[in-house]
Amino acid sequence: VPMLERALAIAEERGVMADRVSVLARLAILSANDLRLDRALEHADAAMALAAETGDERLEARALDAMKQITMELGDLDGLERVASRLEAIHRRQGDLWYLQFVLFERAYGWSAAARWSDAIAGMQEALAVNRRIEDRGNEPLYLASLAMVHRSRGDYGRSLELARSAVSLARELGHAEWIAWSEIQLGAILLETFLPDRAVPELERGLVAAEEAGARLHLPRLLGLLALARGLAGSEPRGVLERAAEVLAEVLVPAGGALLGDGDGYIATAWALVLDGRPADGRRIVEPILAAAERSGWLGHVAWSALALAWCHQADGDLSAARVAAEQALAVAERALMPTPAWRARATLARIASSRDEAATHRAAAVETVTRLSETLDDASMRREFIERALAEVSGEGGVP
């Protein structure tokens, strides 16, 4: 960053517009990585304004390259679609396949946020195809791990595990620290969803080491939140990691009215870990802003999961009326988004706080049906048995969340 700031000063002194655009775009990306989304947006806006003055399509592409990441991280899904659409057209026209792969990926990431699962899979697979066509093996784990995320969200646990493990294996083979971190996030997340927190802990710990080695601070909210949650669910001491997760989240700076929605699951996991640690009020303070931002954005997965986490916070705090409202929101959005996991867990929550036996029985029956369907995607018999056992314990109220 200091070197780029010096380069920007030189470019401004010499009046070289192309260099100013390129350096500002790079500073925007690095600022986002440093969790300074406010500064990142300022740099990206400045790059866009300068590029527009030149009328140079290639310079516009450099500025748009930064802006697409900022819009994705801030959850500006409409802005991301506009930027990515324009950028894709430029790269296809220019034949710039190396940059095209990332545009295809981030556009598809936006589609996954909107729960457009088929479009997201097709877009990420196209990005992976371009990546393999140009033999850019170093970035291949990004696409494998992200496809794992999409398949997990839509309830295909078996395919998600397969892709996540492939991503981790390749990233480790390549020694690509940033993608080791990203791949371990996705493997840890699917292991948590299949009730294997003891297996998730070492994966997430390796991801945390890799992120710190790479200086990839943007991955820290997810890694620390998920690791704190995994340790809490595994029965080990989460306190050190949990406190650090809260500290990192406090360091995030966003434009007024914005939120780091690109890492929203880090906030959600941290809130859930705080519930397990007996601090539901702290969890509520962390997750409520993410829920509000996700509602404004239309990031359906974050709405479903953050509403569910909020329900657990309220339940642990003894406010069953508020817990019901949040759980009903989680269920409605999860079903609309075709996300079976938050849907059945919302039903399990509603069954625990139901006002009648009939209501509880209806929610439990629907939850059991979904759990059974999800278990059928797991080829490993022991994993399938453990998943069913622990999921049904949550449905019956004998285990799982508070």
Side-chain angles (χ1 to χ4, degrees):
V1 170
M3 295 176 73
L4 283 171
E5 289 173 342
R6 183 181 171 203
L8 180 59
I10 294 170
E12 289 174 343
E13 179 184 341
R14 295 184 177 181
V16 183
M17 193 76 81
D19 290 346
R20 290 172 67 191
V21 171
S22 296
V23 175
L24 283 166
R26 184 55 50 186
L27 279 169
I29 292 170
L30 288 175
S31 296
N33 181 71
D34 199 34
L35 304 175
R36 288 295 310 270
L37 275 297
D38 54 347
R39 184 185 296 162
L41 184 59
E42 290 174 3
H43 289 317
D45 279 337
M48 291 284 292
L50 289 174
E53 287 182 30
T54 68
D56 185 326
E57 192 174 69
R58 289 184 182 275
L59 284 183
E60 181 189 1
R62 294 292 81 77
L64 287 167
D65 180 63
M67 187 59 80
K68 71 174 168 43
Q69 181 180 357
I70 311 308
T71 54
M72 182 181 74
E73 296 298 343
L74 292 174
D76 179 3
L77 302 185
D78 290 338
L80 173 58
E81 179 65 23
R82 288 193 301 272
V83 169
S85 178
R86 170 63 178 158
L87 196 50
E88 180 182 344
I90 293 174
H91 289 324
R92 288 191 186 280
R93 189 158 49 246
Q94 300 288 346
D96 194 337
L97 299 183
W98 192 83
Y99 273 105
L100 177 63
Q101 63 178 323
F102 300 112
V103 179
L104 295 172
F105 162 71
E106 284 168 305
R107 192 177 191 185
Y109 201 96
W111 293 337
S112 73
R116 294 170 53 182
W117 305 123
S118 296
D119 290 338
I121 290 171
M124 289 184 185
Q125 286 178 333
E126 185 180 4
L128 177 59
V130 173
N131 168 272
R132 287 174 170 168
R133 176 181 169 187
I134 62 176
E135 300 181 354
D136 179 21
R137 200 155 182 255
N139 284 308
E140 186 174 341
L142 167 65
Y143 309 114
L144 297 174
S146 300
L147 281 164
M149 175 195 69
V150 175
H151 284 289
R152 169 172 56 85
S153 298
R154 65 198 294 265
D156 190 343
Y157 288 166
R159 183 61 175 148
S160 179
L161 278 165
E162 178 187 0
L163 285 162
R165 285 169 173 156
S166 295
V168 167
S169 177
L170 178 56
R172 288 181 188 167
E173 176 191 333
L174 297 169
H176 197 308
E178 184 177 6
W179 298 149
I180 291 173
W182 177 242
S183 300
E184 292 286 18
I185 286 169
Q186 303 311 329
L187 181 54
I190 182 60
L191 290 171
L192 281 174
E193 282 199 24
T194 51
F195 292 92
L196 295 170
D198 51 334
R199 297 192 197 179
V201 167
E203 302 293 348
L204 293 165
E205 287 175 339
R206 283 189 284 268
L208 182 57
V209 170
E212 291 173 330
E213 175 188 328
R217 286 175 51 77
L218 194 57
H219 294 320
L220 294 183
R222 279 189 176 99
L223 283 163
L224 290 167
L226 288 169
L227 180 55
L229 176 57
R231 286 185 177 176
L233 291 171
S236 56
E237 178 57 57
R239 273 291 171 99
V241 175
L242 185 51
E243 299 310 324
R244 190 175 170 211
E247 289 171 3
V248 168
L249 293 180
E251 294 171 7
V252 175
L253 294 176
V254 296
L260 182 56
L261 279 180
D263 291 86
D265 36 4
Y267 290 81
I268 295 164
T270 300
W272 185 359
L274 285 164
V275 173
L276 295 176
D277 197 48
R279 292 183 280 170
D282 291 339
R284 193 171 66 251
R285 281 191 290 272
I286 283 178
V287 81
E288 283 177 337
I290 290 300
L291 173 56
E295 288 172 332
R296 292 192 300 270
S297 163
W299 198 308
L300 297 182
H302 287 346
V303 173
W305 277 109
S306 55
L308 185 55
L310 183 59
W312 295 336
C313 290
H314 285 308
Q315 183 187 349
D317 232 0
D319 189 344
L320 300 189
S321 177
R324 172 188 286 272
V325 171
E328 287 175 344
Q329 180 185 12
L331 176 59
V333 174
E335 290 188 334
R336 171 186 163 199
L338 303 179
M339 297 182 70
T341 303
W344 80 255
R345 300 191 86 158
R347 286 193 178 277
T349 302
L350 288 166
R352 286 195 297 275
I353 61 178
S355 57
S356 71
R357 290 185 178 179
D358 286 346
E359 181 189 355
T362 298
H363 284 305
R364 287 194 182 107
V368 168
E369 181 182 349
T370 303
V371 165
T372 302
R373 188 171 74 251
L374 289 169
S375 71
E376 292 169 354
T377 70
L378 293 167
D379 294 330
D380 186 300
S382 64
M383 284 186 67
R384 186 165 58 250
R385 282 194 302 271
E386 190 154 7
F387 169 72
I388 292 174
E389 179 182 337
R390 296 194 183 189
L392 293 184
E394 182 171 320
V395 172
S396 68
E398 299 172 359
V401 299

